Amino acid sequence: MHGHDLGLGIAENYRAFAEEARGRSPVYEQLAASVAEDAVVLRFLGSLPPEKRQPNLLFAAARYLLGVTPALDGLRALATRGRSELAGVIRARRTQTNEPARCATLLPALAQLPPPLALIEVGASAGLTLLFDRYSYDFAGHRITGSDPLAPVLRCEPRGQAPLPARLPEITWRAGLDLNPLDVTSDDDVRWLSCLVWPGEGDREQRLAAAIATARRDPPVIHRGDLRTDLPALAAQAPPGATLVIYHSAVLAYLTPAGRRRFAGTVRALPAVWLSNEGPGVVPEQPIPPYQGTPFVLARDGRTPLALTDSHGTWLNWLPGPG
Ligand SMILES: C[S@@+](CC[C@H](N)C(=O)[O-])C[C@H]1O[C@@H](n2cnc3c(N)ncnc32)[C@H](O)[C@@H]1O
């Protein structure tokens, strides 16, 4: 979800999305720009609740129904002759993109903590960002081998003095928390996850498929619940004797500022290390390092920025300082 999804006109929102997709997904850039000029699709979107009008959700739902990314004509046909089917998928589904490569950008911070680790990921989606120790990594030639030989190798360019670990930390316990957990053993959920990857984004789709296959060999546990209210009960289940790490990436932007503050208060009161990997300004009161482009900020305990990270995990820029 992005700020421009809220409160702006629908056409304007699609134009802003076209800008965002430029250079990343020419197909979505073109499609979003055409939707912004198309009365038929705009009317269909206007019939949906405001939080269901986002380009990401419309395009993923169309792909889910058609099996391919439609051009404008295909979207118009869905929005008219197929309107109840399309609205049905949009109402039932949410944007829950799960990017396993984000594990590479979180790994150096995790590996600095005293092992063994107990992990809670809030906003875990399908749990692919809970499987740090199963993937292998290639940080520009610095390789680390994970426990599953069939798992994908996550490639990430380290910048700055990133403290790259020699081996993966021992993880003794892990659990996810999500409003709507996706199930890697469900073919429907897996298809939805792959429809959320934008067309033209290099190897993201293959990486996702390989990570899903990894998760299917031993699915992570993800509890249904709200990170604003259900975290303390889950944290109480973590085993003693392990460093409890509560972390999230690409999640807090879905909350209102009051919800974010409430979560920050809850997590600070728990005996845990808090790692956040979110857009600049999303974590309340966290200092914003100077940055260019649209990275995430990896921070500890909501206060100390450690690194700027690519939102899709392809690079990590470790910041000088206490981290
Ligand atoms: C964009 S996905 C990110 C998934 C994963 N963290 C990653 O980095 O790939 C955001 C997830 O946060 C979940 N979420 C949003 N608000 C939540 C809340 N209040 N409590 C629990 N989960 C929430 C959504 O259901 C969704 O699965």
Side-chain angles (χ1 to χ4, degrees):
M1 190 185 298
H2 303 276
H4 57 67
D5 293 329
L6 305 166
L8 297 181
I10 303 174
E12 204 177 318
N13 193 6
Y14 276 72
R15 272 192 285 275
F17 184 88
E19 288 287 312
E20 193 181 321
R22 179 167 303 155
R24 205 179 129 185
S25 176
V27 173
Y28 271 9
E29 180 189 354
Q30 173 67 48
L31 193 57
S34 333
V35 167
E37 308 298 326
D38 189 81
V40 172
V41 181
L42 290 176
R43 199 171 323 117
F44 166 78
L45 289 166
S47 71
L48 298 169
E51 73 280 8
K52 293 286 182 183
R53 296 172 184 166
Q54 318 154 44
N56 248 346
L57 190 56
L58 172 71
F59 297 164
R63 288 168 72 190
Y64 183 80
L65 288 170
L66 300 173
V68 290
T69 308
L72 182 65
D73 281 357
L75 260 191
R76 291 178 121 216
L78 272 182
T80 47
R81 293 191 293 281
R83 63 176 296 131
S84 65
E85 257 186 304
L86 181 60
V89 175
I90 289 175
R91 285 174 187 275
R93 293 286 182 182
R94 306 152 190 244
T95 54
Q96 293 188 260
T97 311
N98 200 184
E99 176 49 76
R102 291 181 184 134
C103 283
T105 53
L106 283 157
L107 178 66
L110 270 191
Q112 287 188 319
L113 303 172
L117 306 179
L119 304 181
I120 294 181
E121 181 180 16
V122 296
S125 181
L128 304 179
T129 28
L130 272 164
L131 310 179
F132 292 91
D133 46 348
R134 299 208 208 142
Y135 304 131
S136 290
Y137 300 82
D138 185 342
F139 290 98
H142 178 98
R143 297 199 173 87
I144 313 169
T145 304
S147 63
D148 183 341
L150 300 175
V153 178
L154 305 179
R155 287 170 217 289
C156 178
E157 185 198 326
R159 304 177 185 164
Q161 298 296 312
L164 301 177
R167 63 188 67 80
L168 294 168
E170 185 191 350
I171 299 169
T172 47
W173 183 87
R174 73 192 88 208
L177 181 65
D178 200 288
L179 278 181
N180 183 50
L182 293 180
D183 177 0
V184 287
T185 68
S186 148
D187 290 343
D188 268 357
D189 282 2
V190 163
R191 194 149 66 87
W192 178 247
L193 276 171
S194 77
C195 289
L196 286 168
V197 175
W198 298 8
E201 287 197 299
D203 56 2
R204 274 190 93 190
E205 205 160 334
Q206 288 145 286
R207 186 167 62 229
L208 177 70
I212 288 169
T214 305
R216 279 185 159 186
R217 287 188 276 281
D218 186 4
V221 176
I222 305 169
H223 300 266
R224 185 178 294 274
D226 191 319
L227 61 86
R228 290 166 298 182
T229 48
D230 300 319
L231 183 57
L234 182 56
Q237 295 178 29
T243 304
L244 177 60
V245 189
I246 295 170
Y247 68 98
H248 49 89
S249 60
V251 172
L252 289 199
Y254 287 80
L255 272 63
T256 61
R260 296 175 200 169
R261 283 195 297 275
R262 181 170 175 184
F263 169 73
T266 304
V267 73
R268 283 206 174 98
L270 291 168
V273 174
W274 172 23
L275 294 178
S276 50
N277 188 42
E278 301 284 346
V282 170
V283 177
E285 294 162 40
Q286 180 181 283
I288 302 177
Y291 63 96
Q292 288 187 322
T294 52
F296 282 171
V297 183
L298 173 64
R300 186 170 166 160
D301 297 328
R303 294 203 171 88
T304 312
L306 302 174
L308 297 176
T309 67
D310 172 44
S311 60
H312 293 152
T314 63
W315 56 260
L316 155 82
N317 190 353
W318 200 261
L319 297 166

